[in-house]
Amino acid sequence: MSMCLVLQNEFKALLKRLPTDRFLNVSTVAKFWAADLSIQKRYAQLESSTALVLGKAQKVVRKLFTLSKRCPKHPRISLPRERPVGFWLSRAQSLLYCNEHGVQGSFSEEVKSCSCPAEQPTCQGAVPCVVGTSSTSCSSCAADNATRCGACHHGNLLHLGSCRPSIAASLDHYLNFDLDMPDAEVKYLLQRLDSRIEVHAIYISNDVRLGSWFNPAWRKRMLLTLKSNKNKSNLIHMLMGISFQICLTKNSTLEPVPAIYVNPFGGSHSESWFMPVNQPDFPDWERTRLDAVVTAQCYNWTLTMGNKWKSFFETVHIYLRSRILTDDPTANETLFYEPLDLDDQTSNLGYMKINTLKVFGYSLHFDPEGIKDLILQLDYPYTQGTQDAAFLMLLEMRDRINRLSPPAPQPLDLFSCLLRHRLKLSAGEVVRIKDSLQIFNSKLPNASPEPELAQLCS
């Protein structure tokens, strides 16, 4: 007992030496604990004395047991449970931050708050700011209020007691566009279905299982999605090509007719644009017969968009319909049969099978939190002069994103889709940001009129 009281005294002395001008996590308290030679010595003495007491108790009990004639079984020796080092480290945090009004509480580092006894007034004390090397950490806490940042690291700005990144000199810090491949190289890689430019996506369909035969009588729906907000929040993705391998039963008179819809940044299917395959100026499917398959007619279908038609994508929706092949030039080849005419004895409708379905392109660096910081500066500039820089950076970002709008009579407003679905802003916030950018742009010298954009995302 005397040794435990001695440790308590040493522990109180350690608490007085802990700094209070910044937040101390458990690992930091552990460093002070390990560096305190006196408490280490006392703790070691307590451990050795406890072992000595246990040994003596065991010896005495064994001797009594051998002398006793009435003990039916060996006695069990129980000493007070040893308090590990982690207990003392957590207790140090609780005494630092949860000891107001003379009430002792328990501190939680995860939420940086205290759990106080229910019948007592609050025990929550002031928790100082976090001093560290990350972009959101302070370099020091404020002298008059340790809960707020007093200074920030280079490249960050102090705003309302917290540190935020300053505006980067280049758009690449927020969104990197600098990756272009020659169209000849893209076409070569797509013809080989080269895995180096494949963007691995999740295949979802209730209608078609890859590698299994299906009846093509009705339209089939499939999609490839990336779930970027969950899995790849620091990336956005560029679509440059699509490829799928499809097989038909021997002598089938059917022809597959795929329709493609592209969702740029997430959201519902209605926020997708239709890919005008085989329309003027837009590339068409290239079909390659696979002679190695003798039991069926198999083809690789490849659509190469290249740099001219590349665009952002999050989900690719594929609708597969079928039409009956005919040599009659007067027949309407766009006429689809759903369901197909099963009474037509001259047609061998057969079955279809899709073995692979892949999207090709590349991924770009994307900093959603950095872009949100830029948007905050539109209303609350951290320092004088940074508001205009934030407006100019967002204008450049908006124009470069919308420049990659897919082919359409009216360009699409892809920038609003990015704000809505990748930054998770409300519809009202998106409208406010668009209006603010338009007003700022109209005041610039030699400002050109902005194009009228079609709204894709709600």
Side-chain angles (χ1 to χ4, degrees), residues 302-318:
T302 305
L303 181 67
T304 305
M305 299 169 67
N307 288 301
K308 183 177 180 181
W309 303 114
K310 69 181 181 182
S311 190
F312 300 103
F313 84 101
E314 175 66 23
T315 302
V316 176
H317 301 265
I318 302 100

Side-chain angles (χ1 to χ4, degrees), residues 115-370:
S115 298
C116 305
E119 69 281 358
Q120 299 291 341
T122 178
C123 61
Q124 177 78 56
V127 180
C129 75
V130 176
V131 174
T133 57
S134 68
S135 61
T136 56
S137 298
C138 316
S139 61
S140 65
C141 299
D144 58 339
N145 185 353
T147 63
R148 299 163 68 91
C149 291
C152 301
H153 297 287
H154 178 71
N156 297 299
L157 297 170
L158 181 64
H159 174 62
L160 300 178
S162 61
C163 293
R164 296 184 180 275
S166 58
I167 297 177
S170 169
L171 182 60
D172 292 345
H173 177 84
Y174 306 103
L175 186 59
N176 187 354
F177 289 94
D178 296 334
L179 182 59
D180 282 324
M181 289 185 288
D183 285 341
E185 182 180 358
V186 173
K187 187 171 183 179
Y188 172 75
L189 293 172
L190 277 174
Q191 286 174 342
R192 298 180 59 197
L193 302 181
D194 198 303
S195 61
R196 288 175 294 178
I197 60 168
E198 180 183 352
V199 181
H200 295 282
I202 302 168
Y203 173 81
I204 299 174
S205 176
N206 291 327
D207 300 332
V208 176
R209 179 182 294 180
L210 294 180
S212 298
W213 293 98
F214 59 88
N215 184 341
W218 294 90
R219 185 188 71 170
K220 310 298 180 184
R221 180 183 177 185
M222 300 158 279
L223 63 88
L224 291 169
T225 187
L226 297 169
K227 297 186 181 295
S228 295
N229 283 328
K230 179 180 179 182
N231 303 322
K232 307 170 185 178
S233 61
N234 64 331
L235 296 174
I236 58 174
H237 312 277
M238 196 69 68
L239 179 66
M240 298 192 76
I242 304 171
S243 178
F244 65 93
Q245 185 186 109
I246 187 166
C247 296
L248 297 85
T249 49
K250 276 285 189 179
N251 301 321
S252 172
T253 57
L254 290 181
E255 180 183 34
V257 183
I260 309 295
Y261 291 82
V262 180
N263 185 299
F265 297 113
S268 65
H269 175 264
S270 62
E271 296 169 308
S272 305
W273 56 272
F274 175 69
M275 191 175 286
V277 178
N278 201 24
Q279 296 299 313
D281 297 330
F282 196 85
D284 195 3
W285 293 101
E286 296 181 13
R287 285 170 277 190
T288 306
R289 177 74 181 262
L290 302 177
D291 296 328
V293 182
V294 296
T295 58
Q297 307 173 60
C298 293
Y299 299 85
N300 272 339
W301 285 52
T302 305
L303 181 67
T304 305
M305 299 169 67
N307 288 301
K308 183 177 180 181
W309 303 114
K310 69 181 181 182
S311 190
F312 300 103
F313 84 101
E314 175 66 23
T315 302
V316 176
H317 301 265
I318 302 100
Y319 293 92
L320 185 66
R321 298 193 289 182
S322 303
R323 65 185 175 198
I324 297 177
L325 291 172
T326 177
D327 295 328
D328 183 0
T330 63
N332 182 4
E333 291 192 357
T334 61
L335 179 63
F336 299 96
Y337 297 83
E338 294 182 354
L340 294 166
D341 188 359
L342 300 180
D343 296 329
D344 186 353
Q345 301 299 321
T346 64
S347 298
N348 174 22
L349 302 182
Y351 288 84
M352 289 186 183
K353 176 174 66 171
I354 296 178
N355 291 325
T356 60
L357 182 58
K358 298 178 180 181
V359 285
F360 295 88
Y362 54 88
S363 300
L364 303 170
H365 163 72
F366 173 62
D367 181 10
E369 296 305 319

